[in-house]
Structures are given as structure tokens and as C-alpha cells.
Amino acid sequence: MKPFAYVRATSVAEAARLLGAGSAAMAGGTDLLGLMKGGIAAPARVVDLTGIDGLRGWSRERGAGLRIGALTPLVDLETSDQLARHLPIVRAALADTATLQLRNAGTVGGNLLQRNRCWYFRDEAIPCWLKGGTRCFASEGENEHHAVIGTARGCNRVAPSDLAPALIAHDARVTLVGARGTRSIALADLYTDPALHSRDEHTIKRGEILTEVHVPEAGLQRRGTYLKAMERKTWSFAVVSVAAAARVRDGKLRNPRIVLGGVAPVPWRVEAAEAEIDGHPFSDELARRAADALLADAAPLAKNGYKVPLAKELVRRALAAIAAA
Ligand SMILES: Cc1cc2nc3c(=O)[nH]c(=O)nc-3n(C[C@H](O)[C@H](O)[C@H](O)COP(=O)(O)OP(=O)(O)OC[C@H]3O[C@@H](n4cnc5c(N)ncnc54)[C@H](O)[C@@H]3O)c2cc1C
């Protein structure tokens, strides 16, 4: 690991000031430190955010939605029965996220901003496209865990966070604070559109700190569920995951959201797929039509074609679970 300076910020303003070029924010450190040890990240200065008060915990204000502080440890969300009553999808998504130790140390902001797990990207010796090289080694190489859709050109990574699809299904927004001010964006927009061919995975700007996740009142009215397929039962990223949420009345799913993890460089959502089921009485046939629309543009690589039928079946099961609940 390259030597670096360590600073523990005590306020968001101080952290924003310290996060100049060559600096990296650190929350739980469970991803950042691994990247540094692996030679993938080499910040000259690490700005520890954990000394900042006021960014932990969650609150619910009737009519104003639900707020989650970015430094909240994942385990605090997972174990809160009260939160599970307001937003059960969070517990469902975190149940199979990493390990208990990692959920203790890992935070909400860090989970949403973690880097991808492509083995070519994580190998210091491989100059892949995302690290400034000229090609994606997964295109022709070992690609069974890679993207089947939305890759445009350049990179076949998949979005790794379990929390992101779950929160996007409830229309979550995030607050980003920097030296130049505060902005609120849809959580979905935190992930860089692959069509832009950007070598940044996230749209957060240098010097910005993610302070809060906000789930609006309308998002909380949806019933949601999260299903995750893994290679083994624990300590494993999603091969495919689906977050689905909708308001359910008279057997009809209204204003639905279907968001996939593990299949695309970003949490994958297609509005036309949601329109297939919106306001119609639920049926397996309708769920299949939605799943087909969601994956209509899938173009699997040599070894990951299995993800397409797997994702479609998970979508069908998730929608059936919401309709039946
Ligand atoms: C073995 C293993 C298995 C895993 N399995 C899963 C899994 O199944 N599902 C899953 O979702 N995740 C999984 N993870 C990832 C894990 O959830 C993340 O490492 C963790 O959530 C990151 O949180 P952190 O607070 O430690 O982030 P850090 O490592 O501190 O930071 C991660 C990134 O976010 C940035 N950052 C952090 N907080 C902020 C903030 N508030 N503002 C601005 N930037 C910030 C950092 O600069 C860094 O780039 C796994 C990790 C490991 C090591």
C-alpha cells in the first residue's frame, strides 16, 4: 500500500474542504481499504468521515418520508423492527449482504458508493478500460459474473450494491454536500449512465459527501420485496437480484418499480417494463411480459447467458410475492 495521510473530519464542511484532488473519503473502510491494499486506489490523503456527528440513524416524519443518515451502519438498519415496518425491503436486501462483520463496519453511503467487483478491475496488474486502459478483458475472458445488458461500450462490470436497487424501487433520493453547496438527486442518478462511456462509476463530484438518503412519502406507500440469487448462501455478491415495489389494491399493482442488480453496470430499470403491469390485475403472464420487456435488449457474453432466464424468473417471483402479500 502506498503511504497516505490520514485526517478525521469532525464536520461535513471540514470534510468537503479536505476532499481535494488525490483525497478519498472513508466511512467503514471495508471497500476503500481493500482497494488501497490491492493497489487499485492510491489516495494521498484519506478523510475519515466517522467523526462527523448527525449522519447516523434514521427518522420517519409522517408526510415527509423517511431519512437515513449516510454513516448509519448497515446492521442498524437490518436489525430495526421499526424500520422494517416502514420499509421492509431494506431488511430483505441487507439480510444477504456480505457478512455480519462487514454489515457492522459498512455504512449506507459506502454501500451505495462501493466500486464494482469485476476481477479484472480488481487486479492491479490488468490495465482494463475502467482503469484507463483500452479494452474490457471480460468481453473475451472469464465473464460469467458480468453484465448482460446496458453495457454500451467499454466496460462489462455490474452494479454490486444490494441496497441500491431496493432503495431505487422506493424512489429514494440522496443528498450530496460539497464546498459549493448542496444538491439532491435521485439515487438512480448516482450511477453513471454507461452510454456516456465515462470511466467514473458514480456521479458524485470530487469533494462531495453523501450525507443522507431520503425515501419520499409516495415511495413508502409501495409494498416492496427483494430477491437475490447467489453462488453460495453467504458472503457473496448478487449474481442477479431484483427489487420490486408497487402499491397494491384489488389485486392490481400500481405505479410499480422493478430494479435489477448484478446484470448491468448500473441498477437496471426499464419504464416500459413497469408500464406492462401498471394498473392491471396481476397474473403470471403479465409478470413474464414485464420481465421480457426489462431484458429485451440483453446481449449476454459467452459465459453469462444464464443470467437472463434467472433474472426473468426472479422478476416473476418478486411480482407474485408483492401481489400476494
Ligand atoms: C467479502 C465482501 C463481501 C461483500 N458482499 C456484499 C454483498 O453481498 N452486497 C453488497 O451490497 N455489498 C457487499 N460488500 C460490500 C460492502 O457492503 C461494502 O464494502 C460496504 O457497504 C462499504 O461501506 P463502507 O462504509 O465500509 O465504505 P468505505 O469502504 O468507507 O467507502 C466505499 C466508497 O464510498 C466512498 N464513501 C463512503 N462513504 C461516503 C460518503 N458518506 N460520502 C462520500 N463518499 C463516501 C468512499 O470514498 C469509497 O470510495 C462486500 C464486501 C466484501 C469485502
Side-chain angles (χ1 to χ4, degrees), residues 29-319:
T30 60
D31 188 36
L32 181 70
L33 293 177
L35 290 164
M36 289 168 68
K37 285 186 207 162
I40 309 304
R45 178 199 277 159
V46 168
V47 180
D48 185 348
L49 305 179
T50 59
I52 303 175
D53 285 336
L55 300 185
R56 282 184 189 78
W58 63 275
S59 63
R60 162 90 167 102
E61 204 183 312
R62 199 149 284 287
L66 190 144
R67 296 180 185 280
I68 305 172
L71 291 179
T72 309
L74 299 175
V75 75
D76 288 7
L77 301 184
E78 179 197 358
T79 54
S80 167
D81 292 338
Q82 227 185 335
L83 179 68
R85 277 195 288 280
H86 295 301
L87 197 56
I89 200 166
V90 168
R91 176 176 282 178
L94 291 177
D96 287 324
T97 292
T99 61
L100 184 55
Q101 291 93 328
L102 285 160
R103 296 197 295 276
N104 257 302
T107 63
V108 170
N111 186 273
L112 298 176
L113 287 165
Q114 63 178 293
R115 306 292 309 269
N116 79 88
R117 288 277 154 179
C118 169
W119 37 56
Y120 297 110
F121 169 71
R122 294 250 166 187
D123 187 329
E124 183 183 12
I126 297 182
C128 81
W129 181 85
L130 194 58
K131 289 183 293 193
T134 55
R135 69 188 188 96
C136 171
F137 288 79
S139 299
E140 311 278 312
E142 296 302 325
N143 51 37
E144 55 267 42
H145 286 169
H146 289 77
V148 293
I149 198 163
T151 55
R153 181 164 53 86
C155 183
N156 291 290
R157 69 181 185 273
V158 294
S161 164
D162 281 313
L163 208 45
L167 291 170
I168 291 171
H170 288 270
D171 290 350
R173 300 182 67 78
V174 287
T175 303
L176 302 167
V177 180
R180 292 205 184 137
T182 298
R183 60 189 179 117
S184 163
I185 60 169
L187 172 56
D189 294 335
L190 186 62
Y191 302 97
T192 309
D193 181 348
L196 297 176
H197 310 306
S198 165
R199 294 181 210 236
D200 290 322
E201 287 167 82
H202 304 104
T203 60
I204 189 168
K205 295 183 185 141
R206 189 190 308 285
E208 280 185 327
I209 292 138
L210 196 163
T211 57
E212 170 181 284
V213 174
H214 177 230
V215 181
E217 197 61 35
L220 293 177
Q221 304 312 320
R222 295 199 189 101
R223 186 184 290 168
T225 194
Y226 188 80
L227 301 178
K228 174 176 178 180
M230 298 182 280
E231 267 198 335
R232 54 174 188 260
K233 194 63 195 119
T234 187
W235 197 342
S236 189
F237 286 86
V239 166
V240 176
S241 67
V242 56
R247 278 175 39 231
V248 186
R249 202 179 307 145
D250 305 329
K252 295 175 183 166
L253 303 187
R254 294 179 192 279
N255 207 6
R257 299 280 183 273
I258 315 169
V259 190
L260 298 178
V263 300
V266 296
W268 187 250
R269 189 182 156 211
V270 174
E271 287 182 24
E274 294 162 0
E276 289 281 351
I277 48 175
D278 196 358
H280 300 291
F282 176 79
S283 70
D284 261 9
E285 174 51 31
L286 211 62
R288 283 200 183 90
R289 283 225 297 270
D292 286 346
L294 194 56
L295 289 143
D297 295 330
L301 301 165
K303 297 182 180 179
N304 66 2
Y306 74 94
K307 284 196 177 190
V308 176
L310 178 58
K312 288 184 179 181
E313 176 56 15
L314 284 187
V315 168
R316 189 195 66 73
R317 289 187 194 183
L319 293 175

